[in-house]
Amino acid sequence: MAKTVYILNGPNLNLLGTREPGKYGSATLAEVETLCRDTAKSHGLAIVFRQSNHEGEIIDWIQEAHAKKAAGIVINPAGFTTTSISILDALLAVGLPTIEVHITNIHARESFRHDSYISKVAKAVVCGFGVQGYALAIIGLAAMVGARKG
Ligand code: CA2
């Protein structure tokens, strides 16, 4: 059985492909899910893909990932990146290898986007590659957890 990775998306990412395409690209969240599923499959992983506008729901899913013995987490915390000690605490509590993803290069944007709580626990951070960053994060995590293809 393939190992499973939880891919968690924070607030407003349900709007992907419908608003601000110049910043976030034209792919919808459903298309990002397909990209993630295909990339994971070709690297020997299965995925659970979720999005929420609610902090507590994301925390519940981090705990669920641990309960279900997931191999790791890929998270785009969106606006919770710089505010949520509770998401950081959940990630610290479960101890799963976590990759932080941002579609945009947060360091080239406003200074309030720079200081990520999530980076304090993340094994790696991918930002600025557009939605391809999700695929890069999955490939990196697959290598990290020793996922086997085929
Ligand atoms: O670059 C990223 O992936 C971000 O995590 C996106 C967040 C932003 O707060 C972070 O600083 C960087 C915003 C997500 C909003 O998503 C939208 C998508 C399409 C249209 C409007 C918003």
Side-chain angles (χ1 to χ4, degrees):
M1 262 268 280
K3 293 178 179 177
T4 300
V5 170
Y6 272 58
I7 302 178
L8 304 179
N9 294 280
N12 296 308
L13 287 165
N14 55 308
L15 298 176
L16 272 181
T18 69
R19 300 270 191 286
E20 300 189 79
K23 207 175 279 167
Y24 297 111
S26 55
T28 63
L29 193 64
E31 289 166 343
V32 176
E33 178 170 359
T34 299
L35 168 71
C36 289
R37 204 168 292 285
D38 292 349
T39 306
K41 194 173 176 199
S42 64
H43 287 77
L45 294 168
I47 63 162
V48 169
F49 189 96
R50 307 246 174 91
Q51 186 276 332
S52 180
N53 294 329
H54 306 280
E55 189 175 12
E57 194 162 34
I58 293 169
I59 291 163
D60 288 344
W61 292 339
I62 292 167
Q63 295 181 10
E64 177 187 306
H66 180 253
K68 301 267 187 185
K69 302 192 189 316
I73 295 172
V74 171
I75 184 166
N76 183 345
F80 292 141
T81 305
T82 52
T83 64
S84 185
I85 294 170
S86 300
I87 291 177
L88 169 62
D89 285 342
L91 292 168
L92 287 169
V94 302
L96 290 170
T98 296
I99 313 295
E100 177 181 352
V101 174
H102 299 283
I103 296 165
T104 59
N105 178 358
I106 54 174
H107 302 291
R109 299 182 66 186
E110 304 95 325
S111 58
F112 63 80
R113 297 185 194 278
H114 297 179
D115 281 331
S116 166
Y117 282 115
I118 311 310
S119 294
K120 300 194 181 304
V121 68
K123 294 275 189 208
V125 182
V126 180
C127 76
F129 283 104
V131 299
Q132 284 300 324
Y134 285 82
L136 297 171
I138 291 165
I139 293 166
L141 187 58
M144 225 174 249
V145 303
R148 289 190 212 207
K149 298 181 198 179

